[in-house]
Amino acid sequence: MEQKGILAVISGFSGAGKGTLVRAMLDAYPEQYALSVSATTRRPRQGEEHGREYFFVSKDDFEEMIAKEDLVEYACYVGNYYGTPKSYVEEQMKAGKDVILEIEIQGALKVKERFPDTLLVFVTPPSAAELERRLRGRGTETEEAIQNRLKRAAEEAEFMGHYDYLLVNDKLKVCVQEIHELIQAQHKRIRGSRDFIDKIKRELRRISDKY
Ligand code: ADP
Ligand code: 5GP
């Protein structure tokens, strides 16, 4: 059966391992998944490239994208704008790819409101102490930014109950497989199978009319 791709949102505290997980998923299943590259006003970290991790834009450019309705959603996170460009998501879903959005909670809830068939997955490390270890171990933020992100994590935890699934990212390989299975299961949900249901109803009517 021909089926359009679905939207899968992966959220979680900064330092939970979302970026690592998503990269591993794309490596493992390159034909199946497309990762949406977000626009942001935050500065690139060392090693990040424009167009690969993010489209790094000015505040003015970002506000123009909002005004032109070029974004599926956007949010402010620890002082910067982050948003999902619409055109890429639409193209890839039409081409049958499952599109992964690695975005924070406010954006995730907006996407779910707009597209109710979206799968919302929340990724967490096994403990808060492990979160702090990963955030510090990554070595990409200042002490102040690390503390802001940990404070934000405490606020974000309040919204975990809005997600469809919670995944503990302990062993990376296991977590990649679990996300893959969840997305594949989402394809089989009755809500997302309306075209197939309509088709088989028509066929059954035709057959029963013969008898
Ligand atoms: P996020 O994108 O959620 O902010 P990252 O993918 O940058 O998080 O991961 C944060 C740090 O934790 C990185 O240094 C990464 O290598 C490490 N990490 C990710 N997943 C695991 C895991 N399952 N076990 C141990 N360390 C991990
Ligand atoms: P970071 O600065 O660590 O790359 O990202 C900070 C937070 O912004 C993360 O929780 C990340 O998932 C989120 N984020 C990245 N892109 C987007 C986006 O397009 N929209 C929203 N709402 N959040 C995003």
Side-chain angles (χ1 to χ4, degrees), residues 26 34-40 49-56 65 71 83-86 88-89 99-103:
L26 293 175
L35 174 66
S36 160
V37 176
S38 298
T40 183
E49 262 178 44
H50 181 77
R52 192 181 63 192
E53 279 79 13
Y54 284 104
F55 296 106
F56 296 99
M65 291 169 91
L71 301 171
T84 306
K86 201 190 277 176
Y88 179 82
V89 169
V99 179
I100 300 177
L101 308 184
E102 194 237 289
I103 64 176

Side-chain angles (χ1 to χ4, degrees), residues 12-21 23 45 102 130 134-135 137-138 149 169-172:
F13 315 121
S14 181
K18 305 177 297 294
T20 310
L21 269 170
R23 278 194 299 277
R45 292 182 187 131
E102 194 237 289
E130 174 63 13
R134 286 185 193 176
L135 208 45
R138 189 168 66 187
R149 280 163 187 256
N169 174 22
D170 188 1
K171 299 265 173 291
L172 187 73

Side-chain angles (χ1 to χ4, degrees), residues 101-112:
L101 308 184
E102 194 237 289
I103 64 176
E104 55 67 70
I105 284 167
Q106 304 165 67
L109 298 182
K110 279 187 234 161
V111 173
K112 182 84 176 181

Side-chain angles (χ1 to χ4, degrees), residues 128-146:
E130 174 63 13
L131 178 67
E132 184 167 6
R133 240 188 322 272
R134 286 185 193 176
L135 208 45
R136 290 187 187 285
R138 189 168 66 187
T140 49
E141 265 87 13
T142 60
E143 179 58 28
E144 188 192 0
I146 290 173

